Amino acid sequence: MIVVVKHGASEKQIENLTNWFKAKGVEPDVSKGTDMTIIGLVGDVSKIDTELVEALDIVDSVKRVSEPFKQANRKFHPDDTVVTLKNGTKIGGGNFVYMAGPCSVESEEQIIYCAQRVKAAGAQILRGGAFKPRTSPYSFQGMGEDGIRLLMEAKKETGLPIVTELMDIKHIDLFTDVDIIQIGARNMQNFELLKEIGHCDKPILLKRGLANTIQEWLMSAEYIMAGGNHNVILCERGIRTYETYTRNTLDLSAVPAVHELSHLPIIVDPSHATGLSRMVPTMALGAAAVGANGLMIEVHNDPPRAKCDGAQSLTPDQFDQVTASVGKVLAALRG
Ligand code: PEP
Ligand code: MN
C-alpha cells in the first residue's frame, strides 16, 4: 500500500502517521522525493482501513500496489536509488560505473596488473572471482580464501573497491573488506542466502538467474530488502533461450523494464551474456545506449590462458577501447 502525503505536511505529522502505522503492525518506509513524499507500507496491510487513512488531513491519496515486489517497486520510491560505496563511488541515478577484471583471481601478479589496467581505463570497481560457481566439479573452483586475500592486495595497491561472489553464507567472515557482495545467476533464487545477506549492510550485486523473469528477479531483490538491506544493484547477464550461437541471450529490454518497475540501479554484463569477446564491445555500447547504470566486463591479462571464461574476456587494450567508445555514447545521451 502507498500513502501519498500532501505538500506542506510537517515532519511531526508524518512521524505521527508512521507511528500509527507501526502500531497497526505494518512497516512504513518514508520516501521523500523531489515532487512528493510517499509512505510505503509493507506487511499485512489488511488491518489498515484505507478510507480512514484517505480522510486524514495530510493524506493526498492511498493506492494498493498490485505487484508482489513492494520495497523494490518504483511506486514505493519514485526517485532512483543511488548506492554509495565506502570510498564514495556512486552507482545509480546519473552515475555510470565500470566493474572490470578477470573472471577468476589466478595470482597476485595477474590481479594487480588487471586492477592497474582497468583503473587506468576508467573502471571504478575491480571484479574477480575467488569462489567460482562452475558447471563441472572438475573445473577450476577458484582460489577461495587466498583469492579474497589477493583481491585485498589489489585494492591496497590501486584503491579500487572490490566486487566478488559469495556462494555460501559460511564464507561471509572472509568478506569483511569486500565492497560489494555478488550473488551469481545460479544463486539468484537461493532464498536462504538472500535472507542472510539481507541482514548485512554491504551493497549487493544481484545477477539475474539463467532462466528467470524480471518479476522473479525483483522478488529476489525484495528478499534482500525485506531483511533491511536496501543497497541492491541488479545485473542483467543474459538469459537462456533456444539460441545457442551466443552463450546466453542478452535481454537489453530488461534495462528500461527495470527502470520502469524499480528504483534500483541496473548494470549489464555483456561478457557472460554473449560468451564471445568480439561481441562484448558492441553489446557494451548497446547497454549504455538503453540506459544501463554501468557495465560489468571480464578483462584478463592473457585471455587464451585464462583458467575460466577466456573466450569472453577482453584484453586490457580492448577494454581501453570499450571505455573510450562507451564514453562517446554517454556523452551523446547527455546531449
Ligand atoms: C561471474 O560473474 O563470474 C559469474 C559467474 O557470473 P554469472 O553468475 O552471471 O554466471
Ligand atoms: Mn566468468
Side-chain angles (χ1 to χ4, degrees), residues 183-224:
I183 298 298
R186 291 153 191 84
N187 271 321
M188 190 206 86
Q189 284 192 317
N190 181 340
F191 299 117
E192 291 305 318
L193 183 59
L194 299 179
K195 282 187 209 166
E196 292 285 352
I197 55 161
H199 299 307
C200 81
D201 60 359
K202 276 191 198 302
I204 307 295
L205 181 73
L206 180 65
K207 296 192 98 178
R208 182 176 180 180
L210 276 74
N212 286 109
T213 64
I214 292 169
Q215 180 159 312
E216 287 164 344
W217 189 16
L218 292 173
M219 288 310 293
S220 292
E222 191 77 15
Y223 259 95
I224 300 167

Side-chain angles (χ1 to χ4, degrees), residues 31 58 88 113 245 329:
S31 168
I58 65 160
Y113 178 73
Y245 189 67
V329 171

Side-chain angles (χ1 to χ4, degrees), residues 103-104 127 132 247 272 298 308-309 312:
C103 180
S104 329
R127 67 146 284 145
K132 295 301 304 175
R247 184 176 179 184
H272 292 88
E298 286 187 339
C308 182
D309 286 351
Q312 66 192 35

